[in-house]
Amino acid sequence: MVNVFAVQVFFIVFRECLEAVIIVSVLLSFLKQCLGQPHQDQAIYKKLVKQVWVGSILGVGICLIIGGAFIGVFYGLGHDIWSNSEDLWEGIFYLIATIIITIMGLALLRINKTKEQWRIKIAQALIAKSQGHKKSRFLGDWARRYAMFILPLITTLREGVEAVVFVGGVSLGYPATAFPIPVVTGILAGLTVGFFLYRGGNAMSIQLFLIASTCVLYLIAAGMFSKAVWGLQYYRFQLAVGSDVAEEGNGPGSYNIRETVWHVNCCNPETDNGWDVFNAILGWENTGTYGSVISYNIYWLFIMLAVSYMLWEERSGKKTLRERFLGVLVKVPGLKGYAGKKLDVIHQNPDEIMRQVHQGLFNEPAIEQGVEMK
Amino acid sequence: MLFLFVLALLGLCKPLLAKDVVYNFNVSWVTANPDGLADRKVIGINGAWPLPVINVDKGDQLIVHMYNGLGDKNTSIHFHGMYQNGTNDMDGPSMATQCPIPPGSSFTYNFTVNQNGTYWYHCHTDWCYPDGYRQALVVHDSDAYFAGEIEDEFTVTMTDWYHTLAEDIKPEFMSLYNPTGAEPIPNAFLFNDTLDTSLAVKPNKTYMLRLINTGAFVAQYFYIEDHEFTIVEIDGVYTEPTTADILYLGIAQRYSVLVKTKDTATKNYAIVTMADSTLLDTIPSDLRLNLTNWLEYDASASHPEADITVSVSSDLDPFDDSTLVPYDHMPLLTDPVVSINVAVVMANLDNGEGYAFLNNISYTAPKVPTLYTVLSAGDLATNALVYGEFTHSHVLPHNGVVEIILNNNDTGSHPFHLHGHNFQVLQRYPSYGADFFDYASGDPHNYNAATNGTSGFPTYPARRDTLVLPPGGYFVIRFVADNPGVWLFHCHIDWHLMQGLAMTMVEAPDQMQQRLTIPDDHYAACKAAGVKTEGNAAGNDVDFTDLTGQNVQPGWLPAGFTTRGIVALVFSVACAFLGMGSIVLYGLSDLKFVNKDDAIATSAPQEQYHDEQ
């Protein structure tokens, strides 16, 4: 099962897909609210909607190509290297995967918050364009005319490349056959949830679904962290023992007794059917070492602390870490522009900027001209 | 009357002619390079290595004054195959019949050699004989039935050879990182402690070759190109002359064979010794498994390398020693009063190292040499308890017939040696031949008296003191407990002895107490080595049944979850649930952003809409 369905790949594709869908849905709902009303020009509205779709599909298409090439090159050139000292590489890859999942996973639970932030970001982008100081008249016009094409193109491209990199990161230890199914199902799941979000489905049940998925995602991550430590320890043991380790199967000698917390002479995920699923989702090994058990527990403690801190941050209204970090960056010459923009998004009053968008943007003649010119 | 007198005189003559043969052995480190590959430290005697061959005539008194000049290592000598009847204290294994002899101590072995044939002597303290401390011991017998035929005789030792001291091999062998217990691979094999030698012979004569495997690990196949030979002795027991062409010598086994030379002296013939490669876990590319030496008819003719026709040693079909008939036609021993049924098992203990077991006991040396426990235990000496659980002792009644059924639950072969006796070989399965390795993988085939039956036992069973136990098979042996003493029964692969593949026979302890007197220098060695000479296996000389503090083998590996494992698992599960709980909490708190969204999504445009109207 693990060889045809890499669970973490599914979750990463799902998450990135969901984010892309949210952006597109935010854009579409903007259009609908501003131009899609019965008294407005349906032709312009439809053209703009079309632009959004074309942009997003093109973005997805490009990053699928990039992703395919990336993974193809990886498996074409590199995979033999890993299989030689499997446990060492598995350990390292699991460590990378854990870090990636840990960082991006909790964001899945802030889907509503993300949605709102995207709304602000997009609105800001639109305002910036409509008010923009044009350096190049031609480029500016072009960009403004096709804003509804470029925005989704860039965002889907961004999310897509992110997905490719992450998927690459979490899946280095897997055979190529483990990809297609989780990628396809991940995309389908992302689209479905995104659709319900757009359609204003029951927020509660969507959220419950996301919570359940995130729990599974973190179970996997904790398991991978534990497996990473286990793999590195096992690699060291294997180096010392030589090829005899494999010869021992599950029995004595297949594990380092001095570091063992438990060992059962069965249920080896490498050799016994079924246990590989348990291994992929929960990080099960038939030998628990001090390293793997302690790292598993520490991982969860870390998650609990991280979550408590973030909740406290949100509730107390204190500046977030990110804000503080950006606050520092603003003072650094050269980064002022970059950090400042990000800070603006955070400090923006969402209601205010929304109003600006609704009032200003789509009633502006430039856009309509642009659309008509087409 | 005169006739009778002459007979009596003749009878007396033999012992009267017997002489004392005295050796002074100053044991010390020397450097040797017998394979031309590497200098190494070896244990020499009187500053020389190879060691002197001990030659005695049947009936002689052999006296060896040994001084341990090694400086850093205990030692002792076991005269392999000597019955030592009445002199159990001269047998040599440390912590069984004596104390290890520490550096600077002297020790005299003094016993009568009332037997004939081919033997050897070697160190029997810890694992010292692979360091070179072993050599042939030949008991000449002018009365041997074949004595008249022989032109000359050669003693041939074959051995494996390591470039590393056994004490340095040990930490790598007995290691967490050697869980399979893979035995150390020798660096070379030697023939008479050297290579490329010739035995010079004349045509049309009969020569006797005394073959001894003095190795620590690897059995050897032996044959001579284009020559058959006649087996006349195994392990000191004369046999009916039996023709063979290939022999298999397990560690410590001996054969005497008669070789009739050819009529013409035009060519030299290869004597081939081939290491049993099935014992080796890996075969390094630079390890020479086959050696060629020569039966040299003409020193000026070429000495061609043997043309080896088999790809692996196990393709050779050696002579089955269990079919040999002793020359004395001693009949099958019947009605054993003791039957010991044990199985060879290899397993890991809780320090991760590999151990060898007979049943579930890995021999662990006691704190007091077992012989001294016998002598100090009084009436309790017949109670096996006092010898400690881990010496795996069986007390045998005087003159009773003893049967040992040895099953092999391991996939390797094991040359088992019984001290103080030779034993009748009643049955061995699978015996040498094409099916010898049938159980080398898969389930072992254990002896079952009901089906394997006593009917198949030979009328005149072969007798020897070292017998190879087939992989996954078994053997059944019998002997008469007519030799009061403490006798080890052990695998003669020194690495397996290191792992504890041994047990102890305590034979007629009451007889020992009556007959034996331990010489002072034996006790002096104990004093110098700091070993107690009275008490049970735990060194308790007050309450012999109290074994508190005895040496024990490491603990067994736990079979599954221990408390520690369960606690760890419970903690992990609890942590995972708490962690997921925190994620749920965090996830649910996101719902507060939904309302805001809805407000914007629904109310804002509508307001605007209204405004415009």
Side-chain angles (χ1 to χ4, degrees):
Chain A
M1 152 139 184
V2 173
N3 282 348
V4 288
F5 193 88
V7 192
Q8 50 267 51
V9 173
F10 168 80
F11 277 107
I12 285 173
V13 171
F14 168 58
R15 188 227 178 235
E16 297 299 333
C17 199
L18 191 56
E19 188 147 354
V21 168
I22 287 169
I23 295 155
V24 172
S25 73
V26 167
L27 276 172
L28 287 177
S29 62
F30 268 145
L31 288 178
K32 177 147 192 154
Q33 286 163 14
C34 304
L35 296 170
Q37 309 303 332
H39 69 284
Q40 285 166 313
D41 187 342
Q42 292 302 309
I44 296 174
Y45 171 64
K46 278 185 182 155
K47 279 217 158 115
L48 285 175
V49 169
K50 200 171 143 198
Q51 271 189 18
V52 169
W53 280 117
V54 170
S56 15
I57 290 167
L58 194 66
V60 170
I62 291 173
C63 76
L64 275 183
I65 293 166
I66 295 174
F70 181 85
I71 288 170
V73 166
F74 173 74
Y75 280 99
L77 297 180
H79 203 248
D80 282 346
I81 305 170
W82 320 134
S83 57
N84 281 338
S85 37
E86 205 188 321
D87 290 292
L88 172 66
W89 290 114
E90 247 177 45
I92 293 171
F93 295 153
Y94 280 145
L95 212 56
I96 296 171
T98 314
I99 294 168
I100 292 173
I101 292 181
T102 307
I103 292 171
M104 55 159 263
L106 283 175
L108 202 58
L109 293 177
R110 281 292 172 268
I111 208 74
N112 294 306
K113 194 180 176 187
T114 313
K115 199 169 153 188
E116 189 190 306
Q117 272 176 349
W118 271 111
R119 201 189 281 274
I120 298 167
K121 270 192 220 168
I122 291 168
Q124 230 171 11
L126 293 174
I127 294 164
K129 289 215 168 65
S130 62
Q131 301 166 344
H133 26 268
K134 296 143 198 171
K135 279 177 187 144
S136 153
R137 213 186 132 69
F138 173 74
L139 209 64
D141 277 352
W142 186 85
R144 271 163 62 199
R145 233 171 273 156
Y146 296 107
M148 283 299 118
F149 168 74
I150 294 166
L151 255 174
L153 172 71
I154 289 173
T155 48
T156 51
L157 201 59
R158 214 198 77 158
E159 297 305 316
V161 169
E162 210 172 280
V164 166
V165 171
F166 285 169
V167 164
V170 297
S171 60
L172 290 167
Y174 284 102
T177 51
F179 287 84
I181 299 178
V183 169
V184 170
T185 49
I187 290 174
L188 286 178
L191 290 178
T192 313
V193 174
F195 179 74
F196 282 121
L197 272 179
Y198 175 60
R199 269 302 166 87
N202 186 335
M204 187 64 189
S205 53
I206 292 172
Q207 195 62 20
L208 285 181
F209 174 76
L210 289 174
I211 288 170
S213 328
T214 311
C215 284
V216 176
L217 189 62
Y218 276 89
L219 273 177
I220 293 172
M224 281 201 298
F225 187 56
S226 161
K227 276 195 289 183
V229 173
W230 190 93
L232 294 176
Q233 283 184 315
Y234 192 70
Y235 171 71
R236 236 181 38 202
F237 182 60
Q238 210 176 23
L239 268 195
V241 174
S243 58
D244 284 345
V245 161
E247 200 182 299
E248 290 293 304
N250 300 335
S254 63
Y255 57 98
N256 184 342
I257 180 71
R258 286 182 209 160
E259 288 174 4
T260 298
V261 181
W262 75 73
H263 177 87
V264 283
N265 295 339
C266 70
C267 323
N268 183 336
E270 294 263 322
T271 54
D272 300 334
N273 269 338
W275 290 95
D276 55 342
V277 180
F278 207 20
N279 171 273
I281 297 178
L282 297 174
W284 164 258
E285 295 287 356
N286 60 334
T287 306
T289 66
Y290 285 103
S292 74
V293 169
I294 290 171
S295 59
Y296 190 80
N297 285 289
I298 285 192
Y299 182 83
W300 279 117
L301 284 175
F302 169 77
I303 293 297
M304 284 183 253
L305 284 176
V307 164
S308 328
Y309 176 75
M310 285 189 296
L311 278 176
W312 171 79
E313 229 176 39
E314 273 179 13
R315 285 186 185 162
S316 65
K318 291 256 163 61
K319 280 185 179 177
T320 63
L321 269 184
R322 187 173 136 89
E323 266 178 88
R324 287 179 208 176
F325 182 65
L326 289 171
V328 174
L329 280 190
V330 166
K331 290 173 191 143
V332 177
L335 289 176
K336 190 178 172 179
Y338 168 81
K341 260 192 212 159
K342 303 241 162 190
L343 268 179
D344 284 350
V345 174
I346 296 166
H347 294 151
Q348 216 44 266
N349 177 348
D351 295 341
E352 175 56 26
I353 192 158
M354 282 305 137
R355 200 147 284 131
Q356 280 184 33
V357 171
H358 290 306
Q359 284 167 356
L361 177 61
F362 296 111
N363 301 327
E364 197 194 314
I367 293 280
E368 292 186 27
Q369 273 170 24
V371 174
E372 276 159 7
M373 267 164 65
K374 215 169 172 233
Chain B
M1 186 63 204
L2 182 69
F3 175 69
L4 274 178
F5 176 72
V6 170
L7 255 190
L9 200 63
L10 274 176
L12 283 171
C13 255
K14 249 355 238 189
L16 283 180
L17 285 176
K19 59 189 186 296
D20 285 353
V21 178
V22 181
Y23 287 88
N24 288 299
F25 281 0
N26 180 1
V27 178
S28 63
W29 291 111
V30 297
T31 301
N33 185 359
D35 55 6
L37 296 174
D39 275 336
R40 62 153 291 171
K41 233 166 78 164
V42 299
I43 296 175
I45 286 178
N46 303 330
W49 191 94
L51 307 185
V53 174
I54 294 181
N55 282 288
V56 295
D57 290 312
K58 187 176 177 181
D60 283 351
Q61 189 74 15
L62 176 60
I63 300 162
V64 178
H65 300 294
M66 196 208 85
Y67 170 74
N68 181 356
L70 290 172
D72 60 352
K73 207 175 166 82
N74 296 336
T75 188
S76 70
I77 308 176
H78 168 56
F79 301 88
H80 185 114
M82 294 289 118
Y83 302 146
Q84 304 282 14
N85 202 327
T87 48
N88 182 224
D89 49 325
M90 301 297 171
D91 193 43
S94 284
M95 301 317 288
T97 65
Q98 66 166 78
C99 297
I101 303 160
S105 283
S106 294
F107 198 98
T108 298
Y109 293 95
N110 184 346
F111 56 95
T112 312
V113 183
N114 250 330
Q115 56 195 108
N116 44 251
T118 310
Y119 303 91
W120 60 306
Y121 66 91
H122 61 82
C123 180
H124 211 305
T125 296
D126 299 333
W127 33 89
C128 49
Y129 89 76
D131 289 332
Y133 195 171
R134 74 284 177 286
Q135 185 55 290
L137 188 171
V138 176
V139 185
H140 300 277
D141 175 18
S142 52
D143 295 337
Y145 74 88
F146 46 81
E149 304 170 41
I150 298 168
E151 171 74 12
D152 199 0
E153 64 172 62
F154 299 98
T155 300
V156 170
T157 61
M158 46 201 89
T159 183
D160 38 42
W161 189 248
Y162 294 87
H163 290 161
T164 315
L165 282 170
E167 66 191 59
D168 296 330
I169 291 176
K170 194 205 175 206
E172 287 190 18
F173 172 58
M174 297 292 287
S175 159
L176 173 69
Y177 302 117
N178 183 20
T180 56
E183 297 82 0
I185 306 297
N187 299 99
F189 296 97
L190 302 177
F191 183 96
N192 272 345
D193 285 336
T194 182
L195 296 172
D196 301 327
T197 60
S198 294
L199 308 179
V201 294
K202 295 184 201 122
N204 228 343
K205 304 274 186 201
T206 299
Y207 291 86
M208 178 156 84
L209 303 186
R210 297 178 181 274
L211 310 173
I212 314 171
N213 187 337
T214 58
F217 171 32
V218 184
Q220 301 277 346
Y221 291 85
F222 174 94
Y223 66 88
I224 306 174
E225 276 186 352
D226 288 339
H227 285 70
E228 280 188 339
F229 39 73
T230 305
I231 302 169
V232 293
E233 179 225 320
I234 49 168
D235 296 357
V237 178
Y238 293 147
T239 65
E240 286 290 345
T242 310
T243 307
D245 52 8
I246 301 174
L247 294 178
Y248 181 82
L249 287 90
I251 292 299
Q253 289 190 316
R254 290 91 64 206
Y255 283 84
S256 286
V257 297
L258 304 186
V259 183
K260 178 92 170 62
T261 52
K262 297 193 176 297
D263 296 337
T264 50
T266 53
K267 198 180 151 193
N268 299 320
Y269 292 87
I271 299 172
V272 179
T273 52
M274 194 183 286
D276 178 2
S277 57
T278 61
L279 292 164
L280 307 176
D281 281 54
T282 55
I283 301 173
S285 56
D286 59 349
L287 177 62
R288 273 179 71 190
L289 294 171
N290 314 318
L291 300 184
T292 300
N293 294 274
W294 293 273
L295 202 58
E296 188 182 68
Y297 286 80
D298 177 359
S300 60
S302 70
H303 292 71
E305 279 294 313
D307 178 25
I308 308 289
T309 52
V310 293
S311 54
V312 290
S313 61
S314 52
D315 287 348
L316 295 175
D317 186 9
F319 182 83
D320 181 359
D321 56 339
S322 64
T323 63
L324 288 168
V325 176
Y327 192 71
D328 60 10
H329 283 223
M330 177 180 161
L332 172 69
L333 294 166
T334 50
D335 304 323
V337 293
V338 178
S339 182
I340 296 166
N341 189 333
V342 285
V344 174
V345 178
M346 301 291 212
N348 295 77
L349 291 180
D350 70 358
N351 57 6
E353 296 169 14
Y355 285 83
F357 305 81
L358 286 169
N359 288 353
N360 54 358
I361 299 174
S362 177
Y363 179 88
T364 310
K367 287 186 170 169
V368 173
T370 306
L371 173 61
Y372 299 163
T373 301
V374 172
L375 298 180
S376 58
D379 292 343
L380 280 169
T382 52
N383 184 351
L385 179 75
V386 302
Y387 307 113
E389 190 183 341
F390 298 99
T391 60
H392 203 167
S393 292
H394 283 263
V395 175
L396 308 178
H398 195 209
N399 288 326
V401 172
V402 180
E403 178 180 73
I404 299 177
I405 297 164
L406 185 62
N407 289 303
N408 190 356
N409 292 345
D410 176 50
T411 56
S413 58
H414 298 279
F416 264 83
H417 170 50
L418 176 61
H419 286 223
H421 289 275
N422 54 43
F423 45 75
Q424 293 189 334
V425 180
L426 274 60
Q427 199 168 64
R428 173 172 57 185
Y429 182 82
S431 220
Y432 295 158
D435 48 3
F436 185 71
F437 298 101
D438 277 4
Y439 300 96
S441 55
D443 290 333
H445 188 280
N446 282 357
Y447 177 74
N448 179 334
T451 56
N452 299 118
T454 51
S455 58
F457 294 159
T459 320
Y460 307 112
R463 293 203 310 280
R464 64 187 317 168
D465 62 38
T466 308
L467 183 65
V468 175
L469 177 68
Y474 63 84
F475 68 54
V476 182
I477 59 175
R478 282 182 192 166
F479 62 94
V480 183
D482 56 2
N483 187 2
V486 171
W487 308 114
L488 290 182
F489 178 61
H490 66 94
C491 177
H492 217 292
I493 291 176
D494 220 32
W495 313 120
H496 293 167
L497 185 56
M498 187 188 276
Q499 290 178 305
L501 197 47
M503 65 191 293
T504 311
M505 307 290 159
V506 180
E507 198 169 317
D510 42 346
Q511 296 290 317
M512 277 191 267
Q513 288 175 350
Q514 289 169 26
R515 296 188 201 177
L516 282 177
T517 314
I518 308 295
D520 288 342
D521 60 340
H522 289 212
Y523 285 137
C526 296
K527 201 170 177 201
V531 176
K532 289 187 75 171
T533 54
E534 286 185 346
N536 63 13
N540 189 333
D541 53 7
V542 181
D543 179 2
F544 274 76
T545 57
D546 177 12
L547 285 148
T548 313
Q550 67 174 328
N551 291 335
V552 298
Q553 68 194 34
W556 295 97
L557 282 175
F561 282 97
T562 54
T563 317
R564 170 171 77 162
I566 293 167
V567 168
L569 210 58
V570 166
F571 255 85
S572 301
V573 170
C575 245
F577 274 104
L578 283 174
M580 284 191 290
S582 72
I583 289 173
V584 170
L585 209 67
Y586 183 66
L588 287 177
S589 72
D590 186 49
L591 286 171
K592 68 174 180 265
F593 296 102
V594 173
N595 299 331
K596 245 184 215 172
D597 261 355
D598 286 348
I600 295 161
T602 53
S603 62
Q606 269 164 10
E607 274 169 31
Q608 189 186 11
Y609 196 46
H610 286 299
D611 283 349
E612 281 181 14
Q613 281 198 339

